[in-house]
Amino acid sequence: MTVLRLIRSRRVGPATYHRLVAEHGSARAALAALPGIAAQAGIADYGCCPEG
């Protein structure tokens, strides 16, 4: 479930989760954008929470 993957991703808490969904329109879109956002913040090898 995409919502759980987003909220369980590293450095994503409740406030960040809600901000990302508001900015990107859905949890799926926010999850897809997260590695790029992390790279812009200077985090090199960011990986979202895996599906399993």
Side-chain angles (χ1 to χ4, degrees):
M1 183 174 222
T2 307
V3 170
L4 290 176
R5 285 185 64 208
L6 179 59
I7 195 71
R8 290 180 177 170
S9 291
R10 188 176 57 166
R11 301 182 63 112
V12 176
T16 303
Y17 169 83
H18 288 289
R19 182 180 54 82
L20 287 169
V21 171
E23 288 177 5
H24 297 281
S26 70
R28 184 177 309 277
L31 192 63
L34 200 51
I37 294 167
Q40 288 177 342
I43 300 170
D45 63 347
Y46 184 84
C48 299
C49 179
E51 285 188 44

